[in-house]
Amino acid sequence: MPYEPGSAWQYDVPTTGSAYLPPDAGYGKALTNQGYGFEVAVADLIDNSIDAGADEVVVHFLRDANRIATLLIIDNGRGMDDSRLDTAMTVGHRRDYGDDSLGMYGTGLKAASLSHASSLTVVSRTKRSRAAGRCLTAEGIEDGFRCDTVDSHYAQDLIDRYDGIIEWHGTVVRWDRVRAFETVGRGQSDQYLSKAISRLETHLGLYLHRFLQQGLKIDIAVWDVSSGEEGIGEEVDHIAVEALDPFGYKVPGKAGYPREFTAPVEGAGEVQLAAHVWPAKSKQAGFRQIGALSDRQGFYFYRNNRLVQAGGWNGLRNPESHLVLARIAVDLPSDSNGVMSLDVKKETVTVTPAFTLGVEKAVDTGGNTFHSFLSDAESAYRDGSKRTEIVRKAVTAPGKGLDPRVKRIIKEELPEKSGEEPIDFVWGALADNRFFDLDRENNVIVLNTAFREDFNDGQRGGANDAPVAKTLLYLLLEDCFGLGRWEKTRTDRIDYFNGILMASVHAQRERRERYSS
């Protein structure tokens, strides 16, 4: 019906025709400014790997002597053929998602990648198709969203390089001209990578913890492309990302928890709230090492087992120090609704007032209210504050050369000295009668490289090898660093430690040789 002017309010806007308006090439600039943090962007790409059925993912930094060159994410998922590659690289194309998919909007691959890199390459292979690849660059987008086809020989060569991961099928996502990498000055690559990998390990361990607990394997590695050796010198070998469960306490902070509350939320139905009270003063990584405690209280929203918000009260209340033990797990309903919506980066849930009103009315099966949970969390915090705690002596933190899992436990168990450089481990040439020496000026424990194979089953080992020997030496020698005047008793201790350890390493070598013959 044609529009007829009148005084009645028009509830629907009348239209007279349509036109298809493809995005201008300038839209590419919007893709590069989506606000993705580095760790958030990498996690978004790993979501695609999980959706493709991958159970093994490697985040691979490539560097040479002068710079950090490239980032790659490799998985052993189902892979993509030419047609699906074209679909995946089409800006604005939204594929069909299953109810249990982690992907939502169809923009993650492009937006997450181009927020950090000026060149995105995807190479993939399926069981039934050869290796193929596509390359999308900032220049290509400006040229009418041009996507380049990767040379088939290079695509196959790249797949072959990761033969240990990609056997019959899988995908490699490659970032080049990464803007953050280009700002790293000469001589700063080690420091930058160490911090970047630590943040990435924490983020992936937290947001993907349920998948890691179910068997997903994520490794972070560095490869020196000029030498072909893995690792940043002796700093990083292969780091296996471990689950950081924000609800992984051993004993709850209040008896009777966790409790399941049901919130009647208009527009979303009955929403289940799993309320947890952490034990006071916990040193576990899932409590202490995932960010500031004030930021980590409150709601933890999950979508299809993927954490999408880690803490925050979403307008219910403000963060308070006496509620730092209170955490609530909420699995978002599979059906979309207008009450709880997830942002494109999958790190924040926006709720309407209907959600907070429903939470205010939530009760458990015993009739306890949600407010009683908050009171219990507050009382657990205050009771814990009254307890006398044994104060352990602060230590200088362990650094390069010690397995990250060991470093995490040390951080959980012992407070760290502030302002001290960490204690590193290196293998080096020492006198025949020395198992180790101290470089106190540089905070380094040097182990005799002549005995390295004895601790690695006859192999050279990696940068984080011999974890038991290194950990014991750290515990024995940590107090020898950061001192003023060096005492003769410490020199004597170093000497007799060496004498005893030399006897033990020779005994170890004889036993290994005897049983291997």
Side-chain angles (χ1 to χ4, degrees), residues 440-500:
R440 295 182 61 243
E441 183 177 349
N442 296 303
N443 273 31
V444 175
I445 298 174
V446 184
L447 290 81
N448 195 332
T449 192
F451 305 117
R452 190 170 191 177
E453 291 185 2
D454 294 287
F455 289 89
N456 292 291
D457 296 323
Q459 305 297 317
R460 181 186 180 279
N464 302 325
D465 58 3
V468 174
K470 288 177 178 177
T471 302
L472 290 173
L473 283 174
Y474 169 80
L475 295 173
L476 290 170
L477 302 171
E478 179 278 329
D479 64 349
C480 293
F481 294 88
L483 300 171
R485 185 170 59 89
W486 182 256
E487 299 174 358
K488 290 184 178 180
T489 55
R490 285 196 171 86
T491 300
D492 179 62
R493 177 152 59 110
I494 299 303
D495 289 341
Y496 74 71
F497 278 178
N498 264 296
I500 296 171

Coordinates of all heavy atoms in Angstrom, one line a residue, residues 440-500:
R440 N 76.5 -14.1 40.4 CA 75.7 -13.3 41.3 C 75.4 -11.9 40.7 O 74.4 -11.3 41.0 CB 76.3 -13.1 42.7 CG 76.4 -14.5 43.4 CD 77.0 -14.3 44.8 NE 76.2 -13.4 45.6 CZ 76.6 -12.2 46.1 NH1 77.8 -11.8 45.8 NH2 75.8 -11.5 46.9
E441 N 76.3 -11.4 39.9 CA 76.1 -10.1 39.3 C 74.9 -10.1 38.4 O 74.2 -9.1 38.3 CB 77.4 -9.7 38.6 CG 77.3 -8.3 38.0 CD 78.6 -7.9 37.3 OE1 79.7 -8.6 37.5 OE2 78.6 -6.8 36.6
N442 N 74.7 -11.2 37.7 CA 73.6 -11.2 36.7 C 72.5 -12.1 37.1 O 71.6 -12.4 36.3 CB 74.2 -11.7 35.3 CG 75.2 -10.8 34.7 OD1 74.8 -9.6 34.5 ND2 76.4 -11.3 34.5
N443 N 72.5 -12.6 38.4 CA 71.5 -13.5 39.0 C 71.3 -14.7 38.1 O 70.2 -15.0 37.6 CB 70.1 -12.7 39.1 CG 70.0 -12.0 40.4 OD1 71.0 -11.5 41.0 ND2 68.8 -11.8 40.9
V444 N 72.3 -15.5 37.9 CA 72.3 -16.7 37.1 C 72.9 -17.8 37.8 O 74.0 -17.7 38.5 CB 73.1 -16.4 35.8 CG1 73.1 -17.8 35.0 CG2 72.4 -15.4 34.9
I445 N 72.3 -19.0 37.8 CA 72.9 -20.2 38.2 C 73.3 -21.0 37.0 O 72.5 -21.3 36.1 CB 71.8 -21.1 39.0 CG1 71.4 -20.4 40.3 CG2 72.5 -22.5 39.4 CD1 70.3 -21.1 41.0
V446 N 74.6 -21.2 36.9 CA 75.2 -21.9 35.7 C 75.5 -23.4 36.1 O 76.1 -23.7 37.0 CB 76.6 -21.2 35.4 CG1 77.1 -21.9 34.1 CG2 76.4 -19.7 35.2
L447 N 74.9 -24.3 35.3 CA 75.0 -25.7 35.4 C 76.1 -26.2 34.4 O 76.1 -25.7 33.3 CB 73.7 -26.4 35.2 CG 72.7 -26.3 36.3 CD1 71.9 -25.0 36.1 CD2 71.7 -27.4 36.3
N448 N 76.8 -27.2 34.8 CA 77.9 -27.7 34.0 C 77.3 -28.5 32.8 O 76.6 -29.5 33.0 CB 78.8 -28.6 34.8 CG 80.1 -28.9 34.1 OD1 80.2 -28.9 32.9 ND2 81.2 -29.2 34.8
T449 N 77.5 -28.0 31.6 CA 76.9 -28.6 30.4 C 77.4 -30.0 30.2 O 76.8 -30.7 29.4 CB 77.2 -27.7 29.2 OG1 76.4 -28.1 28.1 CG2 78.7 -27.7 28.8
A450 N 78.6 -30.4 30.8 CA 79.1 -31.7 30.6 C 78.2 -32.8 31.1 O 78.2 -33.9 30.7 CB 80.5 -31.8 31.2
F451 N 77.3 -32.4 32.1 CA 76.4 -33.3 32.7 C 74.9 -33.2 32.2 O 74.0 -33.8 32.7 CB 76.4 -33.1 34.2 CG 77.8 -33.2 34.8 CD1 78.3 -32.1 35.5 CD2 78.5 -34.4 34.7 CE1 79.6 -32.2 36.0 CE2 79.8 -34.5 35.2 CZ 80.4 -33.4 35.9
R452 N 74.7 -32.4 31.2 CA 73.4 -32.1 30.7 C 72.6 -33.3 30.2 O 71.5 -33.6 30.6 CB 73.4 -31.0 29.6 CG 72.0 -30.5 29.3 CD 72.1 -29.3 28.3 NE 70.8 -28.7 28.2 CZ 70.5 -27.6 27.5 NH1 71.5 -27.0 26.9 NH2 69.3 -27.0 27.5
E453 N 73.3 -34.2 29.5 CA 72.7 -35.4 28.9 C 72.3 -36.3 30.0 O 71.3 -37.1 29.9 CB 73.6 -36.0 27.9 CG 73.7 -35.2 26.6 CD 74.5 -36.0 25.6 OE1 74.9 -37.2 25.9 OE2 74.8 -35.4 24.5
D454 N 73.0 -36.3 31.1 CA 72.7 -37.2 32.2 C 71.3 -36.9 32.8 O 70.7 -37.8 33.4 CB 73.7 -37.1 33.3 CG 75.1 -37.6 32.9 OD1 75.3 -38.8 32.7 OD2 76.0 -36.7 32.6
F455 N 70.8 -35.7 32.7 CA 69.5 -35.4 33.2 C 68.4 -35.4 32.1 O 67.3 -35.0 32.4 CB 69.6 -34.0 33.9 CG 70.3 -34.0 35.1 CD1 71.7 -33.8 35.1 CD2 69.7 -34.2 36.3 CE1 72.4 -33.8 36.3 CE2 70.4 -34.2 37.5 CZ 71.8 -34.0 37.5
N456 N 68.8 -35.8 30.9 CA 67.8 -35.7 29.8 C 67.8 -37.0 29.0 O 67.6 -37.0 27.8 CB 68.1 -34.5 28.9 CG 67.8 -33.2 29.5 OD1 66.7 -32.8 29.8 ND2 68.9 -32.5 29.8
D457 N 68.0 -38.1 29.7 CA 68.0 -39.5 29.0 C 68.9 -39.5 27.8 O 68.6 -40.1 26.8 CB 66.6 -39.8 28.6 CG 65.6 -40.0 29.9 OD1 66.1 -40.5 30.9 OD2 64.5 -39.6 29.8
G458 N 70.1 -38.9 27.9 CA 71.0 -39.0 26.9 C 70.8 -38.0 25.8 O 71.6 -37.9 24.8
Q459 N 69.7 -37.1 25.9 CA 69.4 -36.1 24.9 C 69.9 -34.8 25.3 O 70.2 -34.6 26.5 CB 67.9 -36.1 24.6 CG 67.3 -37.4 24.2 CD 67.9 -37.9 22.9 OE1 68.0 -37.2 22.0 NE2 68.1 -39.2 22.9
R460 N 70.0 -33.8 24.4 CA 70.4 -32.5 24.8 C 69.5 -31.8 25.7 O 69.8 -31.1 26.6 CB 70.7 -31.6 23.5 CG 71.2 -30.2 23.8 CD 71.3 -29.4 22.6 NE 71.8 -28.0 22.9 CZ 71.0 -27.1 23.4 NH1 69.7 -27.3 23.7 NH2 71.5 -25.9 23.7
G461 N 68.2 -32.0 25.4 CA 67.2 -31.3 26.3 C 66.8 -29.9 25.7 O 67.5 -29.4 24.9
G462 N 65.8 -29.3 26.3 CA 65.4 -28.0 25.9 C 65.8 -27.0 26.9 O 66.4 -27.3 27.9
A463 N 65.3 -25.7 26.7 CA 65.7 -24.6 27.6 C 65.2 -24.9 29.0 O 65.8 -24.4 30.0 CB 65.1 -23.3 27.1
N464 N 64.0 -25.5 29.2 CA 63.4 -25.7 30.5 C 63.6 -27.2 31.0 O 62.8 -27.7 31.7 CB 61.9 -25.4 30.5 CG 61.7 -24.0 30.0 OD1 62.4 -23.1 30.3 ND2 60.6 -23.8 29.3
D465 N 64.8 -27.8 30.6 CA 65.0 -29.2 31.0 C 65.4 -29.3 32.4 O 65.6 -28.4 33.1 CB 66.0 -29.8 30.0 CG 67.4 -29.0 30.0 OD1 67.5 -28.1 30.8 OD2 68.3 -29.4 29.3
A466 N 65.7 -30.6 32.8 CA 66.1 -30.9 34.2 C 65.4 -30.2 35.3 O 66.0 -29.6 36.1 CB 67.6 -30.7 34.3
P467 N 64.0 -30.3 35.2 CA 63.3 -29.4 36.2 C 63.5 -29.8 37.7 O 63.5 -28.9 38.5 CB 61.8 -29.7 35.8 CG 61.8 -31.0 35.1 CD 63.1 -31.0 34.4
V468 N 63.7 -31.1 38.0 CA 63.9 -31.5 39.4 C 65.3 -30.9 39.9 O 65.3 -30.3 40.9 CB 63.9 -33.0 39.5 CG1 64.3 -33.4 40.9 CG2 62.5 -33.5 39.2
A469 N 66.3 -31.1 39.1 CA 67.7 -30.6 39.5 C 67.6 -29.1 39.7 O 68.2 -28.5 40.6 CB 68.7 -31.0 38.5
K470 N 67.0 -28.4 38.7 CA 67.0 -26.9 38.7 C 66.2 -26.4 39.9 O 66.5 -25.5 40.6 CB 66.5 -26.4 37.4 CG 67.4 -26.5 36.3 CD 66.8 -26.0 35.0 CE 67.8 -26.1 33.8 NZ 67.1 -25.6 32.5
T471 N 65.1 -27.1 40.2 CA 64.2 -26.6 41.3 C 64.9 -26.8 42.6 O 64.9 -25.9 43.5 CB 62.9 -27.4 41.3 OG1 62.2 -27.2 40.0 CG2 62.0 -27.0 42.4
L472 N 65.6 -28.0 42.8 CA 66.3 -28.2 44.0 C 67.4 -27.2 44.2 O 67.6 -26.6 45.3 CB 66.9 -29.6 44.1 CG 65.8 -30.7 44.2 CD1 66.5 -32.1 44.1 CD2 65.1 -30.6 45.6
L473 N 68.1 -26.9 43.1 CA 69.2 -25.9 43.2 C 68.6 -24.5 43.5 O 69.2 -23.7 44.3 CB 70.0 -25.8 41.9 CG 71.0 -26.9 41.7 CD1 71.6 -26.8 40.3 CD2 72.1 -26.9 42.8
Y474 N 67.5 -24.2 43.0 CA 66.8 -22.9 43.3 C 66.5 -22.8 44.7 O 66.8 -21.8 45.4 CB 65.6 -22.7 42.4 CG 64.7 -21.6 42.9 CD1 65.0 -20.3 42.5 CD2 63.6 -21.8 43.7 CE1 64.3 -19.2 42.9 CE2 62.8 -20.7 44.1 CZ 63.2 -19.4 43.7 OH 62.4 -18.3 44.2
L475 N 65.9 -23.8 45.3 CA 65.5 -23.8 46.7 C 66.8 -23.7 47.6 O 66.7 -23.1 48.7 CB 64.7 -25.0 47.1 CG 63.3 -25.1 46.4 CD1 62.7 -26.5 46.7 CD2 62.4 -24.0 46.8
L476 N 67.9 -24.4 47.2 CA 69.1 -24.4 48.0 C 69.8 -23.0 47.9 O 70.5 -22.6 48.9 CB 70.0 -25.5 47.6 CG 69.5 -26.9 47.9 CD1 70.4 -27.9 47.2 CD2 69.6 -27.1 49.5
L477 N 69.8 -22.4 46.8 CA 70.7 -21.3 46.5 C 70.0 -19.9 46.4 O 70.7 -18.9 46.2 CB 71.4 -21.6 45.1 CG 72.2 -22.8 45.1 CD1 72.7 -23.1 43.7 CD2 73.4 -22.8 46.1
E478 N 68.7 -19.9 46.4 CA 68.0 -18.6 46.3 C 68.5 -17.5 47.2 O 68.6 -16.4 46.8 CB 66.5 -18.8 46.5 CG 65.6 -17.6 46.3 CD 65.6 -16.8 47.6 OE1 65.7 -17.4 48.7 OE2 65.4 -15.5 47.5
D479 N 68.8 -17.9 48.5 CA 69.3 -16.9 49.4 C 70.7 -16.4 49.2 O 71.2 -15.6 49.9 CB 69.1 -17.5 50.9 CG 70.0 -18.6 51.1 OD1 70.6 -19.2 50.2 OD2 70.1 -19.0 52.3
C480 N 71.3 -16.9 48.2 CA 72.7 -16.5 47.8 C 72.7 -15.2 46.9 O 73.7 -14.7 46.6 CB 73.5 -17.6 47.2 SG 73.9 -19.0 48.3
F481 N 71.5 -14.8 46.5 CA 71.4 -13.7 45.6 C 70.8 -12.5 46.3 O 70.1 -12.6 47.3 CB 70.5 -14.1 44.4 CG 71.1 -15.1 43.5 CD1 70.9 -16.5 43.7 CD2 72.0 -14.8 42.4 CE1 71.5 -17.4 42.9 CE2 72.5 -15.7 41.6 CZ 72.3 -17.1 41.9
G482 N 71.1 -11.3 45.8 CA 70.6 -10.1 46.3 C 71.1 -9.7 47.7 O 70.5 -9.0 48.5
L483 N 72.3 -10.2 48.0 CA 73.0 -9.9 49.3 C 73.9 -8.8 49.2 O 74.4 -8.4 48.1 CB 73.7 -11.2 49.8 CG 72.8 -12.4 50.0 CD1 73.7 -13.6 50.3 CD2 71.8 -12.2 51.2
G484 N 74.3 -8.3 50.3 CA 75.4 -7.2 50.3 C 76.7 -7.9 50.4 O 77.3 -8.5 49.5
R485 N 77.3 -8.0 51.6 CA 78.6 -8.6 51.8 C 78.5 -10.1 51.7 O 77.6 -10.7 52.3 CB 79.1 -8.1 53.2 CG 80.5 -8.6 53.5 CD 81.0 -8.0 54.8 NE 80.1 -8.3 55.9 CZ 80.3 -9.4 56.7 NH1 81.3 -10.2 56.5 NH2 79.5 -9.6 57.7
W486 N 79.4 -10.7 51.0 CA 79.4 -12.1 50.8 C 80.2 -12.7 52.0 O 81.3 -12.4 52.2 CB 80.1 -12.5 49.5 CG 80.1 -13.9 49.2 CD1 81.2 -14.8 49.3 CD2 79.0 -14.7 48.7 NE1 80.8 -16.0 48.9 CE2 79.5 -16.1 48.6 CE3 77.7 -14.5 48.5 CZ2 78.7 -17.1 48.2 CZ3 76.9 -15.5 48.1 CH2 77.4 -16.8 47.9
E487 N 79.6 -13.7 52.6 CA 80.2 -14.3 53.8 C 80.9 -15.6 53.4 O 80.5 -16.3 52.5 CB 79.1 -14.6 54.8 CG 78.4 -13.4 55.3 CD 77.2 -13.8 56.2 OE1 77.0 -15.0 56.4 OE2 76.6 -12.8 56.7
K488 N 82.0 -15.9 54.1 CA 82.8 -17.1 53.8 C 82.0 -18.3 54.0 O 82.3 -19.4 53.4 CB 84.1 -17.1 54.7 CG 85.1 -16.0 54.4 CD 86.3 -16.2 55.3 CE 87.4 -15.1 54.9 NZ 88.6 -15.3 55.7
T489 N 81.1 -18.3 55.0 CA 80.3 -19.5 55.2 C 79.5 -19.9 53.9 O 79.2 -21.1 53.7 CB 79.3 -19.3 56.3 OG1 78.5 -18.2 56.1 CG2 80.0 -19.2 57.7
R490 N 79.1 -18.9 53.1 CA 78.4 -19.2 51.9 C 79.3 -19.8 50.8 O 78.9 -20.7 50.1 CB 77.7 -18.0 51.4 CG 76.4 -17.6 52.2 CD 75.6 -16.6 51.4 NE 74.3 -16.4 52.1 CZ 74.1 -15.5 53.1 NH1 75.1 -14.8 53.5 NH2 72.9 -15.4 53.7
T491 N 80.5 -19.3 50.8 CA 81.5 -19.9 49.9 C 81.7 -21.4 50.2 O 81.8 -22.3 49.4 CB 82.8 -19.2 49.9 OG1 82.6 -17.8 49.6 CG2 83.9 -19.8 49.0
D492 N 81.8 -21.7 51.5 CA 82.0 -23.0 52.0 C 80.8 -23.9 51.6 O 80.9 -25.0 51.2 CB 82.2 -23.0 53.5 CG 82.4 -24.5 54.0 OD1 83.4 -25.1 53.6 OD2 81.5 -24.9 54.8
R493 N 79.6 -23.3 51.7 CA 78.4 -24.0 51.4 C 78.4 -24.4 49.9 O 78.0 -25.5 49.5 CB 77.1 -23.2 51.8 CG 75.8 -23.9 51.4 CD 74.7 -23.4 52.4 NE 74.5 -22.0 52.3 CZ 73.4 -21.4 51.8 NH1 72.5 -22.1 51.2 NH2 73.3 -20.1 51.9
I494 N 78.7 -23.4 49.1 CA 78.8 -23.7 47.6 C 79.7 -24.8 47.3 O 79.5 -25.7 46.5 CB 79.2 -22.4 46.9 CG1 78.2 -21.3 47.1 CG2 79.3 -22.7 45.4 CD1 76.8 -21.6 46.8
D495 N 80.9 -24.8 48.0 CA 81.9 -25.8 47.7 C 81.4 -27.2 48.1 O 81.6 -28.2 47.4 CB 83.2 -25.5 48.5 CG 83.9 -24.3 47.9 OD1 83.6 -24.0 46.7 OD2 84.8 -23.7 48.6
Y496 N 80.8 -27.3 49.3 CA 80.4 -28.7 49.7 C 79.2 -29.1 49.0 O 79.0 -30.3 48.7 CB 80.3 -28.9 51.2 CG 79.2 -28.2 52.0 CD1 77.9 -28.7 51.8 CD2 79.4 -27.2 52.9 CE1 76.8 -28.2 52.5 CE2 78.3 -26.6 53.6 CZ 77.1 -27.1 53.4 OH 76.0 -26.6 54.1
F497 N 78.3 -28.2 48.6 CA 77.2 -28.6 47.7 C 77.8 -29.2 46.4 O 77.3 -30.2 45.9 CB 76.4 -27.4 47.3 CG 75.3 -27.0 48.4 CD1 74.5 -25.9 48.2 CD2 75.2 -27.7 49.5 CE1 73.6 -25.5 49.2 CE2 74.2 -27.4 50.5 CZ 73.4 -26.2 50.3
N498 N 78.8 -28.5 45.8 CA 79.4 -29.0 44.6 C 80.0 -30.4 44.8 O 79.8 -31.3 43.9 CB 80.4 -28.0 44.1 CG 79.8 -27.1 43.0 OD1 79.4 -27.5 41.9 ND2 79.8 -25.8 43.4
G499 N 80.7 -30.6 45.9 CA 81.3 -31.9 46.1 C 80.3 -33.0 46.2 O 80.5 -34.1 45.6
I500 N 79.3 -32.8 47.0 CA 78.2 -33.8 47.1 C 77.5 -34.0 45.8 O 77.3 -35.2 45.4 CB 77.3 -33.4 48.2 CG1 78.0 -33.3 49.6 CG2 76.1 -34.4 48.3 CD1 77.2 -32.7 50.7

